[in-house]
Amino acid sequence: MYTLSEFGKNLICNVRDPVLSNLEKLISGQVKSEQDIVFHQRISQLSPDEILLLKELSTYLVDKTLHNLLFMFENSDNCLILSDDKNLAEISDGLCGELYTDDGWIGKFSQYKASI
């Protein structure tokens, strides 16, 4: 049976963290694609404060995107059905809230701190 916690772990480990990891690679220059190299060159011209802002803003936008995605699931009758035929939203008291707090999905499963 696929659980709410397993879904959360997959969302964080396979969606959120890879995006934030990619940002770290863009900043440090550990990139190979032509588009990524262009971004790295542009980022390398920023001040340390601007790079910090970029990291904070990126994390915030990724978290807001996940929040909005979960809100969409929460307000859909059949958007995400788990293996035991339960709607994901039905087994949570608020999918968006599953992301946050120290014992939320980000706190439990992410390599990066939450934006909020």
Side-chain angles (χ1 to χ4, degrees), residues 6-108:
E6 289 170 320
F7 171 81
K9 183 176 182 178
N10 280 325
L11 184 67
I12 298 305
C13 295
N14 295 312
V15 178
R16 182 182 193 268
D17 280 9
V19 172
L20 297 177
S21 174
N22 188 271
L23 175 63
E24 292 290 334
K25 289 175 185 171
L26 285 170
I27 291 169
S28 68
Q30 300 172 343
V31 292
K32 295 182 181 174
S33 80
E34 202 171 304
Q35 181 68 47
D36 286 351
I37 291 169
V38 170
F39 278 124
H40 169 69
Q41 290 170 342
R42 293 177 69 194
I43 291 169
S44 67
Q45 296 177 24
L46 300 176
S47 72
D49 283 343
E50 291 169 328
I51 290 174
L52 180 60
L53 176 62
L54 175 64
K55 288 180 179 181
E56 290 173 349
L57 179 60
S58 296
T59 303
Y60 174 77
L61 293 173
V62 168
D63 290 350
K64 288 300 272 185
T65 299
L66 293 179
H67 180 97
N68 291 342
L69 177 71
L70 291 170
F71 185 78
M72 180 190 73
F73 289 160
E74 191 172 322
N75 289 295
S76 173
D77 292 333
N78 58 3
C79 200
L80 274 181
I81 305 296
L82 298 178
S83 58
D84 59 353
D85 291 330
K86 290 186 180 178
N87 183 312
L88 188 64
E90 291 173 1
I91 59 175
S92 171
D93 61 354
L95 284 175
C96 303
E98 300 285 353
L99 290 172
Y100 310 109
T101 72
D102 289 339
D103 62 340
W105 293 340
I106 294 172
K108 282 197 277 192

